[in-house]
PDB file of all heavy atoms in Angstrom:
ATOM      1  N   ARG A 131      89.536  81.969 101.854  1.00 90.00           N
ATOM      2  CA  ARG A 131      90.944  82.378 101.779  1.00 90.00           C
ATOM      3  C   ARG A 131      91.835  81.294 101.177  1.00 90.00           C
ATOM      4  O   ARG A 131      92.753  81.581 100.392  1.00 90.00           O
ATOM      5  CB  ARG A 131      91.461  82.757 103.175  1.00 90.00           C
ATOM      6  CG  ARG A 131      92.943  83.146 103.208  1.00 90.00           C
ATOM      7  CD  ARG A 131      93.196  84.380 102.353  1.00 90.00           C
ATOM      8  NE  ARG A 131      94.606  84.756 102.332  1.00 90.00           N
ATOM      9  CZ  ARG A 131      95.504  84.269 101.486  1.00 90.00           C
ATOM     10  NH1 ARG A 131      95.139  83.336 100.596  1.00 90.00           N
ATOM     11  NH2 ARG A 131      96.752  84.677 101.495  1.00 90.00           N
ATOM     12  N   GLY A 132      91.585  80.055 101.493  1.00 89.00           N
ATOM     13  CA  GLY A 132      92.443  78.981 101.006  1.00 89.00           C
ATOM     14  C   GLY A 132      92.403  78.759  99.513  1.00 89.00           C
ATOM     15  O   GLY A 132      93.278  78.093  98.953  1.00 89.00           O
ATOM     16  N   SER A 133      91.418  79.353  98.843  1.00 92.00           N
ATOM     17  CA  SER A 133      91.278  79.139  97.400  1.00 92.00           C
ATOM     18  C   SER A 133      91.886  80.258  96.564  1.00 92.00           C
ATOM     19  O   SER A 133      91.932  80.147  95.332  1.00 92.00           O
ATOM     20  CB  SER A 133      89.784  79.014  97.041  1.00 92.00           C
ATOM     21  OG  SER A 133      89.120  80.268  97.196  1.00 92.00           O
ATOM     22  N   TRP A 134      92.359  81.299  97.193  1.00 91.00           N
ATOM     23  CA  TRP A 134      92.759  82.477  96.432  1.00 91.00           C
ATOM     24  C   TRP A 134      93.888  82.187  95.443  1.00 91.00           C
ATOM     25  O   TRP A 134      93.843  82.634  94.294  1.00 91.00           O
ATOM     26  CB  TRP A 134      93.188  83.606  97.374  1.00 91.00           C
ATOM     27  CG  TRP A 134      92.057  84.190  98.173  1.00 91.00           C
ATOM     28  CD1 TRP A 134      90.751  83.781  98.179  1.00 91.00           C
ATOM     29  CD2 TRP A 134      92.132  85.282  99.091  1.00 91.00           C
ATOM     30  NE1 TRP A 134      90.005  84.547  99.047  1.00 91.00           N
ATOM     31  CE2 TRP A 134      90.824  85.478  99.616  1.00 91.00           C
ATOM     32  CE3 TRP A 134      93.167  86.114  99.522  1.00 91.00           C
ATOM     33  CZ2 TRP A 134      90.548  86.479 100.545  1.00 91.00           C
ATOM     34  CZ3 TRP A 134      92.895  87.104 100.447  1.00 91.00           C
ATOM     35  CH2 TRP A 134      91.591  87.288 100.951  1.00 91.00           C
ATOM     36  N   GLU A 135      94.909  81.471  95.874  1.00 89.00           N
ATOM     37  CA  GLU A 135      96.064  81.228  95.010  1.00 89.00           C
ATOM     38  C   GLU A 135      95.703  80.460  93.755  1.00 89.00           C
ATOM     39  O   GLU A 135      96.446  80.470  92.773  1.00 89.00           O
ATOM     40  CB  GLU A 135      97.156  80.481  95.777  1.00 89.00           C
ATOM     41  CG  GLU A 135      97.953  81.339  96.761  1.00 89.00           C
ATOM     42  CD  GLU A 135      97.179  81.632  98.052  1.00 89.00           C
ATOM     43  OE1 GLU A 135      96.057  81.093  98.207  1.00 89.00           O
ATOM     44  OE2 GLU A 135      97.695  82.387  98.895  1.00 89.00           O
ATOM     45  N   HIS A 136      94.549  79.799  93.761  1.00 90.00           N
ATOM     46  CA  HIS A 136      94.118  79.023  92.597  1.00 90.00           C
ATOM     47  C   HIS A 136      93.171  79.813  91.702  1.00 90.00           C
ATOM     48  O   HIS A 136      92.760  79.308  90.648  1.00 90.00           O
ATOM     49  CB  HIS A 136      93.433  77.732  93.055  1.00 90.00           C
ATOM     50  CG  HIS A 136      94.267  76.911  93.981  1.00 90.00           C
ATOM     51  ND1 HIS A 136      95.405  76.246  93.568  1.00 90.00           N
ATOM     52  CD2 HIS A 136      94.155  76.661  95.316  1.00 90.00           C
ATOM     53  CE1 HIS A 136      95.949  75.613  94.596  1.00 90.00           C
ATOM     54  NE2 HIS A 136      95.204  75.854  95.672  1.00 90.00           N
ATOM     55  N   HIS A 137      92.841  81.038  92.098  1.00 88.00           N
ATOM     56  CA  HIS A 137      91.873  81.832  91.340  1.00 88.00           C
ATOM     57  C   HIS A 137      92.616  82.682  90.306  1.00 88.00           C
ATOM     58  O   HIS A 137      93.578  83.376  90.614  1.00 88.00           O
ATOM     59  CB  HIS A 137      91.078  82.742  92.284  1.00 88.00           C
ATOM     60  CG  HIS A 137      89.771  83.176  91.721  1.00 88.00           C
ATOM     61  ND1 HIS A 137      89.684  84.031  90.643  1.00 88.00           N
ATOM     62  CD2 HIS A 137      88.497  82.878  92.067  1.00 88.00           C
ATOM     63  CE1 HIS A 137      88.406  84.245  90.361  1.00 88.00           C
ATOM     64  NE2 HIS A 137      87.668  83.555  91.208  1.00 88.00           N
ATOM     65  N   TYR A 138      92.159  82.645  89.054  1.00 88.00           N
ATOM     66  CA  TYR A 138      92.890  83.340  87.992  1.00 88.00           C
ATOM     67  C   TYR A 138      92.912  84.852  88.199  1.00 88.00           C
ATOM     68  O   TYR A 138      93.885  85.525  87.819  1.00 88.00           O
ATOM     69  CB  TYR A 138      92.307  82.986  86.621  1.00 88.00           C
ATOM     70  CG  TYR A 138      91.017  83.686  86.259  1.00 88.00           C
ATOM     71  CD1 TYR A 138      91.009  84.875  85.521  1.00 88.00           C
ATOM     72  CD2 TYR A 138      89.779  83.163  86.669  1.00 88.00           C
ATOM     73  CE1 TYR A 138      89.825  85.507  85.203  1.00 88.00           C
ATOM     74  CE2 TYR A 138      88.593  83.804  86.344  1.00 88.00           C
ATOM     75  CZ  TYR A 138      88.625  84.969  85.614  1.00 88.00           C
ATOM     76  OH  TYR A 138      87.449  85.605  85.305  1.00 88.00           O
ATOM     77  N   ARG A 139      91.863  85.411  88.812  1.00 88.00           N
ATOM     78  CA  ARG A 139      91.871  86.856  89.052  1.00 88.00           C
ATOM     79  C   ARG A 139      92.916  87.215  90.109  1.00 88.00           C
ATOM     80  O   ARG A 139      93.557  88.269  90.023  1.00 88.00           O
ATOM     81  CB  ARG A 139      90.487  87.336  89.485  1.00 88.00           C
ATOM     82  CG  ARG A 139      89.418  87.201  88.410  1.00 88.00           C
ATOM     83  CD  ARG A 139      88.138  87.891  88.849  1.00 88.00           C
ATOM     84  NE  ARG A 139      86.981  87.444  88.098  1.00 88.00           N
ATOM     85  CZ  ARG A 139      85.727  87.807  88.351  1.00 88.00           C
ATOM     86  NH1 ARG A 139      85.472  88.643  89.346  1.00 88.00           N
ATOM     87  NH2 ARG A 139      84.718  87.355  87.635  1.00 88.00           N
ATOM     88  N   TYR A 140      93.098  86.359  91.091  1.00 87.00           N
ATOM     89  CA  TYR A 140      94.139  86.590  92.090  1.00 87.00           C
ATOM     90  C   TYR A 140      95.514  86.513  91.432  1.00 87.00           C
ATOM     91  O   TYR A 140      96.377  87.376  91.650  1.00 87.00           O
ATOM     92  CB  TYR A 140      94.034  85.570  93.214  1.00 87.00           C
ATOM     93  CG  TYR A 140      95.114  85.727  94.278  1.00 87.00           C
ATOM     94  CD1 TYR A 140      94.955  86.624  95.320  1.00 87.00           C
ATOM     95  CD2 TYR A 140      96.288  84.981  94.209  1.00 87.00           C
ATOM     96  CE1 TYR A 140      95.942  86.773  96.286  1.00 87.00           C
ATOM     97  CE2 TYR A 140      97.284  85.126  95.169  1.00 87.00           C
ATOM     98  CZ  TYR A 140      97.104  86.024  96.213  1.00 87.00           C
ATOM     99  OH  TYR A 140      98.085  86.182  97.156  1.00 87.00           O
ATOM    100  N   ARG A 141      95.727  85.512  90.606  1.00 89.00           N
ATOM    101  CA  ARG A 141      97.019  85.361  89.938  1.00 89.00           C
ATOM    102  C   ARG A 141      97.286  86.540  88.998  1.00 89.00           C
ATOM    103  O   ARG A 141      98.430  86.989  88.865  1.00 89.00           O
ATOM    104  CB  ARG A 141      97.069  84.034  89.171  1.00 89.00           C
ATOM    105  CG  ARG A 141      97.008  82.798  90.078  1.00 89.00           C
ATOM    106  CD  ARG A 141      97.459  81.556  89.336  1.00 89.00           C
ATOM    107  NE  ARG A 141      96.633  81.279  88.174  1.00 89.00           N
ATOM    108  CZ  ARG A 141      95.525  80.550  88.188  1.00 89.00           C
ATOM    109  NH1 ARG A 141      95.105  80.016  89.328  1.00 89.00           N
ATOM    110  NH2 ARG A 141      94.844  80.328  87.071  1.00 89.00           N
ATOM    111  N   SER A 142      96.244  87.052  88.370  1.00 86.00           N
ATOM    112  CA  SER A 142      96.407  88.227  87.513  1.00 86.00           C
ATOM    113  C   SER A 142      96.847  89.441  88.319  1.00 86.00           C
ATOM    114  O   SER A 142      97.683  90.238  87.878  1.00 86.00           O
ATOM    115  CB  SER A 142      95.097  88.531  86.785  1.00 86.00           C
ATOM    116  OG  SER A 142      94.758  87.495  85.890  1.00 86.00           O
ATOM    117  N   SER A 143      96.280  89.593  89.504  1.00 82.00           N
ATOM    118  CA  SER A 143      96.668  90.702  90.371  1.00 82.00           C
ATOM    119  C   SER A 143      98.123  90.571  90.795  1.00 82.00           C
ATOM    120  O   SER A 143      98.878  91.560  90.793  1.00 82.00           O
ATOM    121  CB  SER A 143      95.759  90.743  91.604  1.00 82.00           C
ATOM    122  OG  SER A 143      96.146  91.784  92.479  1.00 82.00           O
ATOM    123  N   VAL A 144      98.534  89.364  91.154  1.00 81.00           N
ATOM    124  CA  VAL A 144      99.925  89.138  91.532  1.00 81.00           C
ATOM    125  C   VAL A 144     100.852  89.503  90.381  1.00 81.00           C
ATOM    126  O   VAL A 144     101.881  90.173  90.566  1.00 81.00           O
ATOM    127  CB  VAL A 144     100.140  87.667  91.951  1.00 81.00           C
ATOM    128  CG1 VAL A 144     101.622  87.371  92.130  1.00 81.00           C
ATOM    129  CG2 VAL A 144      99.373  87.359  93.234  1.00 81.00           C
ATOM    130  N   ALA A 145     100.483  89.090  89.168  1.00 82.00           N
ATOM    131  CA  ALA A 145     101.314  89.370  87.992  1.00 82.00           C
ATOM    132  C   ALA A 145     101.398  90.875  87.730  1.00 82.00           C
ATOM    133  O   ALA A 145     102.470  91.403  87.388  1.00 82.00           O
ATOM    134  CB  ALA A 145     100.752  88.653  86.767  1.00 82.00           C
ATOM    135  N   ARG A 146     100.276  91.579  87.899  1.00 82.00           N
ATOM    136  CA  ARG A 146     100.279  93.023  87.657  1.00 82.00           C
ATOM    137  C   ARG A 146     101.168  93.743  88.658  1.00 82.00           C
ATOM    138  O   ARG A 146     101.954  94.630  88.308  1.00 82.00           O
ATOM    139  CB  ARG A 146      98.860  93.584  87.729  1.00 82.00           C
ATOM    140  CG  ARG A 146      98.758  95.049  87.337  1.00 82.00           C
ATOM    141  CD  ARG A 146      97.424  95.659  87.712  1.00 82.00           C
ATOM    142  NE  ARG A 146      97.259  95.759  89.156  1.00 82.00           N
ATOM    143  CZ  ARG A 146      97.824  96.708  89.905  1.00 82.00           C
ATOM    144  NH1 ARG A 146      98.601  97.627  89.359  1.00 82.00           N
ATOM    145  NH2 ARG A 146      97.617  96.736  91.212  1.00 82.00           N
ATOM    146  N   ILE A 147     101.068  93.352  89.931  1.00 76.00           N
ATOM    147  CA  ILE A 147     101.868  93.993  90.970  1.00 76.00           C
ATOM    148  C   ILE A 147     103.344  93.658  90.798  1.00 76.00           C
ATOM    149  O   ILE A 147     104.218  94.519  90.971  1.00 76.00           O
ATOM    150  CB  ILE A 147     101.355  93.583  92.364  1.00 76.00           C
ATOM    151  CG1 ILE A 147      99.963  94.195  92.584  1.00 76.00           C
ATOM    152  CG2 ILE A 147     102.315  94.036  93.457  1.00 76.00           C
ATOM    153  CD1 ILE A 147      99.248  93.678  93.807  1.00 76.00           C
ATOM    154  N   ASP A 148     103.652  92.415  90.410  1.00 76.00           N
ATOM    155  CA  ASP A 148     105.043  92.048  90.136  1.00 76.00           C
ATOM    156  C   ASP A 148     105.611  92.886  88.995  1.00 76.00           C
ATOM    157  O   ASP A 148     106.772  93.327  89.044  1.00 76.00           O
ATOM    158  CB  ASP A 148     105.136  90.556  89.791  1.00 76.00           C
ATOM    159  CG  ASP A 148     104.965  89.657  91.009  1.00 76.00           C
ATOM    160  OD1 ASP A 148     105.015  90.179  92.144  1.00 76.00           O
ATOM    161  OD2 ASP A 148     104.773  88.445  90.821  1.00 76.00           O
ATOM    162  N   ALA A 149     104.795  93.113  87.973  1.00 76.00           N
ATOM    163  CA  ALA A 149     105.253  93.923  86.837  1.00 76.00           C
ATOM    164  C   ALA A 149     105.500  95.371  87.262  1.00 76.00           C
ATOM    165  O   ALA A 149     106.476  95.998  86.834  1.00 76.00           O
ATOM    166  CB  ALA A 149     104.226  93.860  85.712  1.00 76.00           C
ATOM    167  N   LEU A 150     104.612  95.898  88.108  1.00 69.00           N
ATOM    168  CA  LEU A 150     104.794  97.262  88.609  1.00 69.00           C
ATOM    169  C   LEU A 150     106.092  97.363  89.397  1.00 69.00           C
ATOM    170  O   LEU A 150     106.879  98.307  89.208  1.00 69.00           O
ATOM    171  CB  LEU A 150     103.611  97.655  89.490  1.00 69.00           C
ATOM    172  CG  LEU A 150     103.734  98.978  90.248  1.00 69.00           C
ATOM    173  CD1 LEU A 150     103.793 100.153  89.284  1.00 69.00           C
ATOM    174  CD2 LEU A 150     102.571  99.155  91.234  1.00 69.00           C
ATOM    175  N   ASN A 151     106.334  96.412  90.267  1.00 67.00           N
ATOM    176  CA  ASN A 151     107.544  96.457  91.091  1.00 67.00           C
ATOM    177  C   ASN A 151     108.803  96.293  90.251  1.00 67.00           C
ATOM    178  O   ASN A 151     109.853  96.865  90.571  1.00 67.00           O
ATOM    179  CB  ASN A 151     107.474  95.372  92.169  1.00 67.00           C
ATOM    180  CG  ASN A 151     106.425  95.668  93.220  1.00 67.00           C
ATOM    181  OD1 ASN A 151     106.100  96.829  93.480  1.00 67.00           O
ATOM    182  ND2 ASN A 151     105.869  94.630  93.831  1.00 67.00           N
ATOM    183  N   ALA A 152     108.696  95.505  89.167  1.00 73.00           N
ATOM    184  CA  ALA A 152     109.844  95.338  88.280  1.00 73.00           C
ATOM    185  C   ALA A 152     110.107  96.618  87.491  1.00 73.00           C
ATOM    186  O   ALA A 152     111.261  96.996  87.255  1.00 73.00           O
ATOM    187  CB  ALA A 152     109.609  94.170  87.324  1.00 73.00           C
ATOM    188  N   ASN A 153     109.039  97.305  87.101  1.00 66.00           N
ATOM    189  CA  ASN A 153     109.168  98.522  86.304  1.00 66.00           C
ATOM    190  C   ASN A 153     109.594  99.716  87.153  1.00 66.00           C
ATOM    191  O   ASN A 153     110.346 100.579  86.700  1.00 66.00           O
ATOM    192  CB  ASN A 153     107.828  98.830  85.615  1.00 66.00           C
ATOM    193  CG  ASN A 153     107.920 100.003  84.664  1.00 66.00           C
ATOM    194  OD1 ASN A 153     108.865 100.089  83.868  1.00 66.00           O
ATOM    195  ND2 ASN A 153     106.950 100.902  84.724  1.00 66.00           N
ATOM    196  N   ILE A 154     109.093  99.749  88.404  1.00 60.00           N
ATOM    197  CA  ILE A 154     109.430 100.849  89.318  1.00 60.00           C
ATOM    198  C   ILE A 154     109.913 100.225  90.635  1.00 60.00           C
ATOM    199  O   ILE A 154     109.170 100.145  91.616  1.00 60.00           O
ATOM    200  CB  ILE A 154     108.227 101.773  89.580  1.00 60.00           C
ATOM    201  CG1 ILE A 154     107.520 102.146  88.270  1.00 60.00           C
ATOM    202  CG2 ILE A 154     108.670 103.037  90.308  1.00 60.00           C
ATOM    203  CD1 ILE A 154     106.268 102.973  88.474  1.00 60.00           C
ATOM    204  N   PRO A 155     111.159  99.746  90.684  1.00 62.00           N
ATOM    205  CA  PRO A 155     111.643  99.019  91.866  1.00 62.00           C
ATOM    206  C   PRO A 155     111.541  99.805  93.169  1.00 62.00           C
ATOM    207  O   PRO A 155     111.369  99.227  94.245  1.00 62.00           O
ATOM    208  CB  PRO A 155     113.109  98.721  91.513  1.00 62.00           C
ATOM    209  CG  PRO A 155     113.166  98.778  90.022  1.00 62.00           C
ATOM    210  CD  PRO A 155     112.166  99.826  89.623  1.00 62.00           C
ATOM    211  N   SER A 156     111.653 101.136  93.077  1.00 55.00           N
ATOM    212  CA  SER A 156     111.639 101.941  94.301  1.00 55.00           C
ATOM    213  C   SER A 156     110.241 102.142  94.873  1.00 55.00           C
ATOM    214  O   SER A 156     110.102 102.638  95.996  1.00 55.00           O
ATOM    215  CB  SER A 156     112.257 103.325  94.016  1.00 55.00           C
ATOM    216  OG  SER A 156     111.502 104.011  93.027  1.00 55.00           O
ATOM    217  N   PHE A 157     109.199 101.759  94.109  1.00 53.00           N
ATOM    218  CA  PHE A 157     107.842 102.074  94.549  1.00 53.00           C
ATOM    219  C   PHE A 157     107.487 101.367  95.851  1.00 53.00           C
ATOM    220  O   PHE A 157     106.761 101.909  96.689  1.00 53.00           O
ATOM    221  CB  PHE A 157     106.838 101.689  93.452  1.00 53.00           C
ATOM    222  CG  PHE A 157     105.433 102.158  93.742  1.00 53.00           C
ATOM    223  CD1 PHE A 157     105.115 103.506  93.719  1.00 53.00           C
ATOM    224  CD2 PHE A 157     104.434 101.260  94.062  1.00 53.00           C
ATOM    225  CE1 PHE A 157     103.838 103.955  94.002  1.00 53.00           C
ATOM    226  CE2 PHE A 157     103.140 101.695  94.341  1.00 53.00           C
ATOM    227  CZ  PHE A 157     102.847 103.042  94.308  1.00 53.00           C
ATOM    228  N   ARG A 158     108.002 100.150  96.042  1.00 55.00           N
ATOM    229  CA  ARG A 158     107.665  99.394  97.260  1.00 55.00           C
ATOM    230  C   ARG A 158     108.178 100.081  98.519  1.00 55.00           C
ATOM    231  O   ARG A 158     107.644  99.860  99.607  1.00 55.00           O
ATOM    232  CB  ARG A 158     108.199  97.975  97.178  1.00 55.00           C
ATOM    233  CG  ARG A 158     107.446  97.104  96.196  1.00 55.00           C
ATOM    234  CD  ARG A 158     107.872  95.662  96.285  1.00 55.00           C
ATOM    235  NE  ARG A 158     109.255  95.481  95.882  1.00 55.00           N
ATOM    236  CZ  ARG A 158     109.877  94.298  95.844  1.00 55.00           C
ATOM    237  NH1 ARG A 158     109.240  93.207  96.223  1.00 55.00           N
ATOM    238  NH2 ARG A 158     111.119  94.205  95.440  1.00 55.00           N
ATOM    239  N   ARG A 159     109.219 100.905  98.383  1.00 56.00           N
ATOM    240  CA  ARG A 159     109.712 101.634  99.559  1.00 56.00           C
ATOM    241  C   ARG A 159     108.735 102.723  99.961  1.00 56.00           C
ATOM    242  O   ARG A 159     108.723 103.164 101.115  1.00 56.00           O
ATOM    243  CB  ARG A 159     111.086 102.245  99.272  1.00 56.00           C
ATOM    244  CG  ARG A 159     112.211 101.239  99.153  1.00 56.00           C
ATOM    245  CD  ARG A 159     113.552 101.903  99.373  1.00 56.00           C
ATOM    246  NE  ARG A 159     113.839 102.894  98.355  1.00 56.00           N
ATOM    247  CZ  ARG A 159     114.468 102.643  97.212  1.00 56.00           C
ATOM    248  NH1 ARG A 159     114.856 101.405  96.940  1.00 56.00           N
ATOM    249  NH2 ARG A 159     114.696 103.609  96.341  1.00 56.00           N
ATOM    250  N   VAL A 160     107.937 103.186  99.000  1.00 55.00           N
ATOM    251  CA  VAL A 160     107.012 104.280  99.252  1.00 55.00           C
ATOM    252  C   VAL A 160     105.643 103.750  99.677  1.00 55.00           C
ATOM    253  O   VAL A 160     105.047 104.216 100.650  1.00 55.00           O
ATOM    254  CB  VAL A 160     106.875 105.169  97.999  1.00 55.00           C
ATOM    255  CG1 VAL A 160     106.088 106.437  98.322  1.00 55.00           C
ATOM    256  CG2 VAL A 160     108.238 105.519  97.420  1.00 55.00           C
ATOM    257  N   HIS A 161     105.141 102.779  98.919  1.00 52.00           N
ATOM    258  CA  HIS A 161     103.835 102.190  99.246  1.00 52.00           C
ATOM    259  C   HIS A 161     103.785 100.791  98.647  1.00 52.00           C
ATOM    260  O   HIS A 161     103.662 100.637  97.430  1.00 52.00           O
ATOM    261  CB  HIS A 161     102.690 103.043  98.693  1.00 52.00           C
ATOM    262  CG  HIS A 161     101.331 102.501  99.021  1.00 52.00           C
ATOM    263  ND1 HIS A 161     100.670 102.814 100.190  1.00 52.00           N
ATOM    264  CD2 HIS A 161     100.526 101.649  98.345  1.00 52.00           C
ATOM    265  CE1 HIS A 161      99.499 102.185 100.215  1.00 52.00           C
ATOM    266  NE2 HIS A 161      99.390 101.468  99.102  1.00 52.00           N
TER     267      HIS A 161
END
Side-chain angles (χ1 to χ4, degrees):
R131 178 62 182 87
S133 69
W134 291 3
E135 284 77 4
H136 306 290
H137 202 292
Y138 77 94
R139 294 189 199 174
Y140 179 85
R141 295 197 300 271
S142 295
S143 178
V144 171
R146 186 193 68 78
I147 292 170
D148 286 347
L150 172 65
N151 290 332
N153 186 46
I154 313 176
S156 61
F157 188 69
R158 288 188 295 181
R159 290 201 296 270
V160 189
H161 181 87

